[in-house]
Amino acid sequence: KYSTSTRHDEGTWTASGAVVNTTKKPTTFQVTAHVGPADGSGAKARTKRIAAVQGNGSFRFDLGELEAGSPDGPCHVQVVALDS
């Protein structure tokens, strides 16, 4: 799993990356991004569910237009593999 984040001039952020399924069976992932303090205060988080990534496969994600709780970030990205 990897991700990058970018701050745009208008004050919004974008988080992008890929989830990698290292198992042999399809797995669903949940990706959440938040810009601001690590405690989650400030701006709302954005979440995307990525269903059924095939075994040993990967899938790119983009979460754009993230509202910033703090103009200088940081951007936190959390990836969770859900039970299928």
Side-chain angles (χ1 to χ4, degrees):
K1 302 168 194 145
Y2 67 90
S3 65
T4 61
S5 57
T6 305
R7 182 177 72 176
H8 304 284
D9 290 338
E10 62 275 1
T12 61
W13 288 65
T14 300
S16 60
V19 294
V20 178
N21 182 0
T22 59
T23 71
K24 293 181 181 181
K25 63 180 186 173
T27 301
T28 296
F29 292 90
Q30 180 173 294
V31 180
T32 302
H34 167 78
V35 179
D39 66 2
S41 63
K44 295 179 185 175
R46 297 246 347 246
T47 298
K48 182 173 191 167
R49 187 170 287 214
I50 303 168
V53 176
Q54 295 303 308
N56 297 312
S58 64
F59 190 87
R60 286 201 46 78
F61 67 86
D62 290 299
L63 294 171
E65 300 292 323
L66 296 170
E67 200 178 304
S70 171
D72 295 325
C75 181
H76 304 276
V77 178
Q78 177 189 53
V79 178
V80 177
L82 303 173
D83 290 334
S84 297

